Amino acid sequence: MRHELVICTRNRADDLRQCLESVAAQSNPPCRVVIVDSSDGDSAERVAEEVAGRGSLVIKFVHTAPGLTLQRNAALALIEESTDVIHFVDDDMVLDRDYLRLILSVFREHPNCGGVGGRISNLPKRRAKGVVRWFRYAFLLDSPRPGVLLPSGVGVICRTGDQPRPVDWLSGGSMSYRRRCIAGLRFDESRSGYGMGEDVDFSARVAGRAPLVWTPLAVIEHRYPFNHGDNIQLRRRAVRSRWQLAKHGVGSVIRAAVVYAVIGDALMLLAMAGVFRSRHHARQACATLVGLVDVIKGLPV
């Protein structure tokens, strides 16, 4: 089974080096690594040349304008037609030695599946407990079923498990696709910057064509999970991202459920602000509601 691995990177040469070293150490290394760089300097290219010079990896390096979705689409245009599986990993990922081998084994065991994701080993623990967790379930902000894409546009991430399971979406840091199942699909370039929600959007559209599978056996470490900047701005973007899923008819996401979840989230945050006398929770509640105003204004993700 021919497989290629895509890494999109920007101004993180040290992380890229560590990622590439873990790729080079794979028990079943990729036939080729496609690196799409949007860095301000040439440090990433020098890292790629150094690793390729050791002879352990075949690397195709290209430079584009910044934007994760744009970079991923540039990578898709470079994938060879003979390739069966395309892996996407973030530049700050470190792959367990058998990660790619175990991902490919799932494709072999599930010949009809269109995509496979692995287990991110160092995800933050779930913080909501007791009554708060049940309120989150009620407002479509969480679910006891891992891997589901809720009508509110919230994707519930898989954290633990013993066996592979079917899922509605795949996390962008660990997603692999059968090339024939994504023919003609592209990442949404209206999702600017690091492309918030692009993984849910793309993988859920693939799920409309062929089943997706998550396996806990293929392990990968995310060095900086969910480290994307200001939490207040992230909340506003998250609302716009979920609304765009509903607007484009992705999965079972609908606009009424998005609004319902946003209002429920804001109410819970305001309650927490009162109980804990927390200005931070109050600001989060306001930012969540402002996300709806952004939607009305038509602001992009």
Side-chain angles (χ1 to χ4, degrees), residues 39-292:
S39 300
D40 297 322
D42 64 352
S43 55
E45 186 170 9
R46 284 188 275 111
V47 166
E49 290 174 350
E50 176 189 331
V51 174
R54 300 173 192 165
S56 55
L57 290 175
V58 176
I59 296 178
K60 172 69 174 178
F61 186 95
V62 297
H63 194 276
T64 70
L68 179 58
T69 53
L70 183 152
Q71 290 174 246
R72 285 186 165 165
N73 286 338
L76 286 175
L78 296 171
I79 299 298
E80 296 186 4
E81 291 187 5
S82 60
T83 295
D84 300 297
V85 171
I86 307 166
H87 310 280
F88 290 91
V89 299
D90 288 346
D91 59 357
D92 61 344
M93 290 292 197
V94 177
L95 287 64
D96 182 80
R97 186 175 184 275
D98 291 321
Y99 173 82
L100 294 178
R101 179 180 67 80
L102 292 168
I103 290 289
L104 292 176
S105 71
V106 176
F107 278 109
R108 293 190 182 97
E109 293 164 7
H110 299 80
N112 294 322
C113 81
V116 178
R119 178 171 66 86
I120 301 174
S121 62
N122 60 327
L123 288 173
K125 294 182 178 179
R126 296 178 67 175
R127 291 179 293 178
K129 298 179 180 179
V131 174
V132 175
R133 179 178 293 180
W134 286 105
F135 270 109
R136 288 182 60 80
Y137 290 166
F139 283 115
L140 302 178
L141 296 164
D142 199 354
S143 170
R145 178 194 154 196
V148 66
L149 176 59
L150 297 169
S152 61
V154 173
V156 181
I157 200 164
C158 292
R159 298 172 184 271
T160 60
D162 299 322
Q163 298 294 328
R165 63 162 64 100
V167 292
D168 295 339
W169 68 286
L170 300 173
S171 175
S174 169
M175 56 184 183
S176 301
Y177 297 106
R178 212 181 292 274
R179 188 181 65 83
R180 60 177 169 80
C181 292
I182 63 171
L185 285 182
R186 290 297 180 265
F187 290 87
D188 182 0
E189 293 185 14
S190 70
R191 295 173 180 268
S192 61
Y194 65 87
M196 172 175 272
E198 48 79 31
D199 51 355
V200 178
D201 173 64
F202 188 84
S203 59
R205 285 188 282 133
V206 177
R209 298 181 170 192
L212 303 178
V213 177
W214 175 85
T215 175
L217 305 178
V219 180
I220 190 167
E221 179 186 349
H222 196 177
R223 297 189 65 197
Y224 309 115
F226 308 126
N227 181 24
H228 293 303
D230 180 44
N231 185 262
I232 299 300
Q233 290 302 317
L234 285 182
R235 283 189 164 271
R236 293 176 60 176
R237 290 194 68 187
V239 174
R240 303 200 299 268
S241 173
R242 294 178 211 154
W243 184 264
Q244 190 145 311
L245 294 175
K247 180 180 177 181
H248 293 167
V250 176
S252 62
V253 184
I254 57 174
R255 299 182 191 192
V258 173
V259 174
Y260 172 75
V262 168
I263 292 173
D265 197 13
L267 289 174
M268 285 192 296
L269 287 166
L270 287 172
M272 293 171 72
V275 171
F276 300 112
R277 297 183 179 180
S278 167
R279 292 183 178 178
H280 177 66
H281 284 105
R283 288 196 298 270
Q284 287 184 314
C286 291
T288 301
L289 292 174
V290 171
L292 287 180

